[in-house]
Amino acid sequence: MYVAVKGGERAIGNAHAWLDEARRGDPALAELDVAQVEQQLGLAVDRVMAEGSCYDRGLAALAVKQARGDLIEAAFLLRAYRTTLARFGASEPVETGAMRIQRRISATYKDLPGGQVLGPTFDYTHRLLDFALAAEREAVAPAPEGVADPAPMPRVTELLAREGLMRRESRSDAEPPDLTRDPLNFPVPRAAWLQALARGDEGFLLGLGYSTQRGYGNSHPFAGEIRMGEVTVEFTPPELGFAIELGEIVLTECQMVNQFAGSKSEPPQFTRGYGLVFGHGERKAMAMALVDRGLRAEELGEPVDAPAQSQEFVLYHCDNVEATGFVEHLKLPHYVDFQSELEKLRSLRQEAGQ
Amino acid sequence: MTEASIEAGYNFGYLDENTKRMIRRALLKAVAVPGYQVPFGSREMPLPYGWGTGGIQVTASIIGADDTLKVIDQGADDTTNAVSIRRFFNRVTGVATTEHTAAATIIQTRHRVPEAKLREGQVLVYQVPMPEPLFRLEPRVAETKRMHALADYGLMHVKLYEDIARHGAATTSYNYPVLVNQRYLMSPSPIPAFDNPKLDRMPALQLFGAGREKRIYAVPPWTEVKSLDFEDHPFQPARADAACVICGARDSYLDELIVDDSGKRHFVCSDTDYCASRPPVQDAAA
Amino acid sequence: MSELLTAEGLHLHFGKVAALDDVALEIHPGEVVAIVGESGSGKTTLLRVLAGLMPPQQGQVLYAGEDVHAMGEAARRRLMRSDWGFVHQNPRDGLRLRVSAGGNVGERLMAAGARHYGNIRAEATEWLKRVEIDPARIDDMPLQFSGGMQQRLQIARTLVTRPKLVFMDEPTGGLDVSVQARLLDLIRALVADLGLAVLIVTHDIAAARLLAHRMLVMRRGQVVEQGLTDRVLDDPQHPYTQLLVSSVLAA
């Protein structure tokens, strides 16, 4: 036994050295700079910040580099770091209505105050591999810049609500639960599931959101509005008693407009599904909004029978750090359990044979 | 053929000839069995699923160098997705494009049927997100296939019955299901119910492509297309009760625009070509 | 009178267990036939085979002279929507729980081609009355109904198109005794009124006596005794039938 343990230590040491070498790749090539990751793989950094639930572009870029581009591993690294940080307090709620818009689109109105702003999007690009990007390039010409529309950008959902066509959300100033401090206690309020979805796995939520579009939990969604840009983060230190600006973060917000058949006590109207994520994460914000609306089925008196409508199913399985840990734990030794299964199976087969 | 104008390295129409042939075979079957969803080997396209890959594959399979293509989205030629798809065909076929409904031989559309009557010889290609008209009632495809095979559409009528019992009228406003040639229940794609009557006995060939769901279906010229209803609650196409602020039309489908922060609204024709073909409203009269 | 449905030489084995062992029967128009036996005797399997829901390994089932298992699924489903009806033990298997009571009754009418909303609603209202459900509840969901009401709704939904032959699988199975009696009375009245032929599977001898003209006693996949209901119950010949009858009397 003693020898086996020492062998394990050496094996781990060697494996980690190999990992380091593999991460570095061909030493004849320049090493990737964390700043390059942060600048040129910005959407990977955004995804890691969202799923790592820690807004720090530099740390997220470092995590991407360290994880060799494995984004779930990177989110895991970032979360493990985040948990070591002392918490000074919570920011004031951010106001996405006052967002400095980089992108804002509505699929429900052709034109609306503030207009449609496409921003830096893959939409409407033809997905043809651009071999020019494989070669060294001259400096990229700056994109033409329009004059920003100074008009405020009202939310589509608010315009509908004023007409009575959109169900109002109940307002609450109560302190929301914090799922990084308190375990989910089912059934959970919407504030708790929105937190879980905001840091949930993009792929999982994408698949669930997609399933609601294909009949597994009908939600009849329209993308009422998607907006992405900077919002100001404010904090009120107890010793000052008033809010001070800490800085700006980029957020993506999606408000889905969904049909609602009405109930005995309410007329038919639209309802909303809400998505909000760190960084530029449009696919995630949209998927989150679809799943949020799915999870509201019970509140709205709709049948609850699809996976995306089940709180426990969605929330217990959307966290990729938890999920990857448990799936991958199957790699750990299970010699003892397996041995007992072996013995049991042999004895059962022997009985059956008699 | 204007080979010179085609994107280097790509076949005319982007798809290779064998793929086009496969799709044309599916189209022939679809035309032979109106309203029946024909499975086909949908290919990965350079545009995202749900953005028109079915319609694009259909158009790419039937388009020839002599065709004139019009692409609309929400009725308009200038919407971003229409611009993108028109550009794509321009790159990979070099065929002439037009914004005039009457001048087009192929019209690819998302969510609308042009206001102008189409004629024999024209082809209307619909982009279809969900080809299965029953999917909201029965998400299992194996089960809906059986329902189509047996023409077992009682469930669809139950939905209509329930709508009327609860709300006094059908609650479906777009993608309103139709019965084709008195046999197959079909999704007309998410066009407003207002457009449904145009499908009935249309002189043009109507082709429907669903890329992500890998289905093609068709309505041959002059085929009966009936919107589901009850004798005592007949199908009623609806539009906003307003006139277009540009051309004054009261017979066309309208887009609602929010023009200021207080929620003031204007209505304009969703079919931009139709609107432009009409004399503008005099300012005095507006 | 010629037979509506006949079966002969039915065999079906699950592994070593014989669910059907050379079973034959016939049913005439307007006749109520009960199949009784303990659970595991093969009676529910027999009902499913007769209704075309499960193929036998040997033998055939003829409906109006046509082989039920040789016809295509389309023809069999058409039969199920028109000439036949099936009442499940659990009403949830025979109802759409998220469709209103009226929609449940109307579905069969619509499947048969009815396209007049007003007429469908009138017919549904009439049928709710016939099965003693308050017509004011026509727009309520069956989920809000008691078990007995759900079962009566299932019967209305099945009978609305006036089928010729109805299969019933323990229709009073999951209900309280008091509710069972009321339901049996209702079934008896409707069957007589409409002149239906009914094949009913039950382990309840009292129910069989109340409803059936004839009965078959099954044990281990075999029909051990059959005849007119009164004769079988008053003068049972087979020891197993004697045991069944006496256990009811003792209970």
Side-chain angles (χ1 to χ4, degrees):
Chain A
M1 287 309 274
Y2 184 69
V3 173
V5 171
K6 292 304 282 185
E9 268 181 24
R10 197 172 59 243
I12 288 172
N14 291 345
H16 290 176
W18 195 349
L19 168 67
D20 203 27
E21 191 185 322
R23 170 165 45 226
R24 177 59 182 87
D26 182 352
L29 297 175
E31 182 167 357
L32 195 56
D33 194 277
V34 169
Q36 289 175 324
V37 175
E38 193 263 313
Q39 287 292 311
Q40 297 177 37
L41 297 177
L43 296 181
V45 168
D46 283 345
R47 180 168 177 183
V48 169
M49 291 197 302
E51 292 170 12
S53 60
C54 177
Y55 196 100
D56 187 311
R57 300 191 64 81
L59 289 177
L62 172 60
V64 171
K65 178 179 176 181
Q66 184 177 335
R68 303 177 63 196
D70 177 338
L71 299 188
I72 293 182
E73 180 71 18
F76 183 13
L77 288 167
L78 195 56
R79 288 227 200 143
Y81 178 78
R82 174 191 196 273
T83 198
T84 65
L85 301 174
R87 181 174 297 194
F88 298 111
S91 76
E92 297 299 318
V94 293
E95 175 52 86
T96 54
M99 182 181 276
R100 277 163 300 288
I101 297 289
Q102 294 179 32
R103 172 165 167 79
R104 187 269 198 132
I105 54 165
S106 168
T108 51
Y109 292 103
K110 188 170 187 177
D111 199 8
L112 68 172
Q116 308 258 11
V117 181
L118 284 182
T121 178
F122 293 123
D123 295 354
Y124 315 115
T125 61
H126 299 148
R127 270 44 167 222
L128 304 170
L129 276 175
D130 183 356
F131 294 103
L133 284 174
E136 296 257 335
R137 289 202 299 172
E138 301 292 306
V140 176
E145 209 169 315
V147 182
D149 188 339
M153 292 208 181
R155 287 198 182 84
V156 165
T157 45
E158 180 52 32
L159 294 169
L160 287 167
R162 266 191 240 157
E163 227 188 310
L165 295 175
M166 170 63 73
R167 196 169 185 273
R168 291 261 179 208
E169 303 301 324
S170 53
R171 198 190 162 85
S172 167
D173 288 323
E175 194 63 27
D178 179 349
L179 66 84
T180 65
R181 300 295 158 110
D182 303 305
L184 292 175
N185 183 13
F186 288 97
V188 300
R190 189 167 174 221
W193 83 53
L194 287 172
Q195 272 177 58
L197 298 182
R199 57 187 231 154
D201 182 67
E202 179 171 316
F204 181 78
L205 295 181
L206 178 66
L208 275 179
Y210 179 43
S211 73
T212 69
Q213 291 179 275
R214 291 195 69 266
Y216 290 85
N218 285 325
S219 56
H220 298 252
F222 295 93
E225 186 184 305
I226 296 164
R227 53 173 64 190
M228 184 273 290
E230 294 101 11
V231 298
T232 304
V233 179
E234 293 180 324
F235 178 65
T236 306
E239 58 274 28
L240 284 183
F242 56 85
I244 54 170
E245 285 190 13
L246 292 183
E248 292 192 327
I249 62 174
V250 173
L251 294 177
T252 307
E253 182 187 60
C254 172
Q255 300 224 38
M256 288 284 179
V257 175
N258 298 269
Q259 234 177 58
F260 171 50
S263 65
K264 284 212 162 140
S265 55
E266 288 178 277
Q269 57 190 329
F270 292 119
T271 53
R272 72 191 93 194
Y274 186 74
L276 183 71
V277 292
F278 281 159
H280 188 183
E282 197 158 297
R283 180 188 303 126
K284 164 76 177 284
M286 294 177 78
M288 174 176 170
L290 290 174
V291 175
D292 170 50
R293 180 59 182 78
L295 291 175
R296 302 185 70 187
E298 192 174 343
E299 166 201 346
L300 296 168
E302 297 167 345
V304 175
D305 44 21
Q309 296 169 323
S310 161
Q311 272 200 9
E312 291 206 26
F313 184 84
V314 173
L315 302 183
Y316 268 130
H317 304 119
C318 71
D319 191 297
N320 55 21
V321 176
E322 287 173 10
T324 197
F326 199 58
V327 167
E328 294 197 48
H329 108 285
L330 295 171
K331 295 182 285 193
L332 292 179
H334 284 77
Y335 314 142
V336 173
D337 322 20
F338 188 68
Q339 183 61 38
S340 58
E341 282 288 292
L342 270 179
E343 290 306 324
K344 173 57 82 184
L345 192 61
R346 285 187 184 119
S347 76
L348 288 174
R349 284 174 62 87
Q350 200 165 14
E351 278 170 38
Q354 278 164 4
Chain B
M1 198 183 285
T2 49
E3 293 281 0
S5 59
I6 300 172
E7 183 90 3
Y10 291 97
N11 191 31
F12 179 85
Y14 186 78
L15 298 172
D16 65 274
E17 292 303 317
N18 280 329
T19 297
K20 290 189 200 170
R21 213 166 289 144
M22 174 274 292
I23 293 172
R24 287 195 291 260
R25 277 197 295 268
L27 287 169
L28 286 174
K29 185 168 178 182
V31 168
V33 191
Y36 171 71
Q37 298 168 48
V38 182
F40 80 110
S42 179
R43 301 292 196 253
E44 304 283 346
M45 297 298 285
L47 281 84
Y49 283 122
W51 297 48
T53 54
I56 292 169
Q57 290 180 77
V58 169
T59 299
S61 303
I62 60 169
I63 199 166
D66 301 336
D67 275 307
T68 303
L69 178 69
K70 171 181 165 83
V71 182
I72 51 174
D73 187 340
Q74 314 299 305
D77 301 86
D78 65 342
T79 39
T80 40
N81 203 35
V83 170
S84 170
I85 291 171
R86 188 163 55 242
R87 261 196 208 169
F88 172 74
F89 277 112
N90 193 257
R91 280 172 85 170
V92 297
T93 67
V95 304
T97 59
T98 181
E99 298 193 356
H100 297 300
T101 302
T105 55
I106 301 173
I107 302 168
Q108 178 166 330
T109 179
R110 176 168 172 268
H111 294 192
R112 274 311 310 276
V113 179
E115 305 290 359
K117 280 209 165 17
L118 301 185
R119 58 169 196 276
E120 276 189 28
Q122 287 182 305
V123 182
L124 185 58
V125 177
Y126 295 77
Q127 300 172 203
V128 180
M130 283 302 283
E132 180 47 68
L134 294 158
F135 86 99
R136 290 194 195 283
L137 304 174
E138 174 51 75
R140 293 169 300 174
V141 173
E143 187 54 31
T144 54
K145 262 168 69 181
R146 179 175 293 135
M147 292 161 82
H148 285 296
L150 304 174
D152 186 359
Y153 298 135
L155 195 57
M156 200 74 232
H157 282 279
V158 169
K159 149 90 169 97
L160 199 55
Y161 169 93
E162 295 285 284
D163 276 357
I164 295 171
R166 288 185 73 171
H167 304 288
T171 58
T172 307
S173 61
Y174 62 93
N175 206 351
Y176 192 104
V178 293
L179 196 68
V180 179
N181 202 27
Q182 306 186 11
R183 174 59 182 84
Y184 281 100
L185 191 71
M186 185 187 93
S187 157
S189 88
I191 56 173
F194 173 83
D195 281 341
N196 273 23
K198 297 177 189 159
L199 272 65
D200 185 34
R201 296 188 169 80
M202 184 190 279
L205 170 64
Q206 303 176 73
L207 303 176
F208 298 77
R212 188 178 40 79
E213 300 283 339
K214 303 170 180 60
R215 295 288 186 277
I216 279 172
Y217 52 99
V219 176
W222 306 107
T223 304
E224 181 188 300
V225 176
K226 187 177 182 328
S227 304
L228 288 197
D229 62 2
F230 286 113
E231 290 154 14
D232 49 341
H233 286 266
F235 171 77
Q236 281 180 328
R239 66 187 284 283
D241 182 20
C244 171
V245 293
I246 299 171
C247 76
R250 287 197 159 273
D251 59 355
S252 66
Y253 197 77
L254 301 174
D255 280 339
E256 184 170 329
L257 309 182
I258 301 177
V259 292
D260 66 24
D261 200 13
S262 69
K264 186 171 188 293
R265 288 169 293 161
H266 274 167
F267 292 90
V268 296
C269 288
S270 114
D271 184 337
T272 43
D273 177 52
Y274 178 74
C275 196
S277 72
R278 292 164 46 85
V281 178
Q282 297 304 308
D283 282 346
Chain C
M1 204 169 0
S2 67
E3 300 91 356
L4 201 54
L5 180 125
T6 59
E8 55 188 34
L10 295 180
H11 283 268
L12 184 60
H13 291 253
F14 299 121
K16 292 172 190 168
V17 182
L20 297 179
D21 185 4
D22 197 20
V23 173
L25 66 73
E26 75 287 320
I27 181 165
H28 298 87
E31 190 183 28
V32 180
V33 175
I35 305 167
V36 300
E38 295 169 311
S39 55
S41 61
K43 58 187 191 303
T44 294
T45 302
L46 176 59
L47 194 73
R48 293 179 57 79
V49 168
L50 294 175
L53 300 173
M54 188 189 265
Q57 284 154 346
Q58 277 179 48
Q60 61 174 5
V61 179
L62 299 178
Y63 175 77
E66 239 195 298
D67 187 334
V68 169
H69 293 282
M71 66 176 71
E73 195 191 349
R76 204 156 50 235
R77 277 212 182 190
R78 208 171 302 123
L79 212 50
M80 214 32 129
R81 292 204 303 252
S82 54
D83 277 21
W84 289 5
F86 200 105
V87 176
H88 298 262
Q89 172 171 5
N90 186 341
R92 290 164 179 248
D93 295 335
L95 293 173
R96 292 190 190 281
L97 296 178
R98 296 199 182 107
V99 167
S100 68
N104 264 288
V105 178
E107 180 171 358
R108 263 179 87 104
L109 292 169
M110 290 184 257
R115 293 291 178 267
H116 189 283
Y117 174 83
N119 293 351
I120 293 165
R121 207 158 162 86
E123 184 92 8
T125 306
E126 184 53 33
W127 269 94
L128 291 182
K129 282 190 211 156
R130 274 184 100 155
V131 297
E132 299 165 24
I133 293 174
D134 181 357
R137 303 202 61 177
I138 189 167
D139 294 330
D140 288 354
M141 301 292 152
L143 274 174
Q144 300 159 319
F145 288 4
S146 69
M149 277 173 79
Q150 286 182 357
Q151 195 57 292
R152 277 179 277 137
L153 182 62
Q154 189 192 186
I155 287 166
R157 170 183 161 90
T158 308
L159 300 190
V160 65
T161 50
R162 292 159 203 273
K164 295 190 178 115
L165 173 62
V166 178
F167 302 90
M168 296 190 181
D169 185 9
E170 304 269 14
T172 59
L175 303 173
D176 293 343
V177 177
S178 60
V179 179
Q180 280 186 18
R182 185 174 163 202
L183 187 65
L184 285 172
D185 269 344
L186 182 73
I187 292 175
R188 184 167 66 165
L190 287 173
V191 166
D193 242 26
L194 299 170
L196 298 175
V198 176
L199 259 170
I200 181 170
V201 154
T202 180
H203 66 277
D204 180 354
I205 301 290
R209 187 191 280 281
L210 189 71
L211 292 178
H213 305 125
R214 273 194 308 127
M215 65 189 287
L216 281 73
V217 181
M218 285 194 74
R219 185 188 184 214
R220 294 186 192 154
Q222 293 181 324
V223 177
V224 296
E225 182 162 2
Q226 59 177 309
L228 293 176
T229 304
D230 290 342
R231 203 281 297 155
V232 172
L233 295 181
D234 296 340
D235 182 20
Q237 303 295 305
H238 193 277
Y240 178 71
T241 315
Q242 292 165 1
L243 193 72
L244 267 186
V245 173
S246 67
S247 64
V248 170
L249 295 178

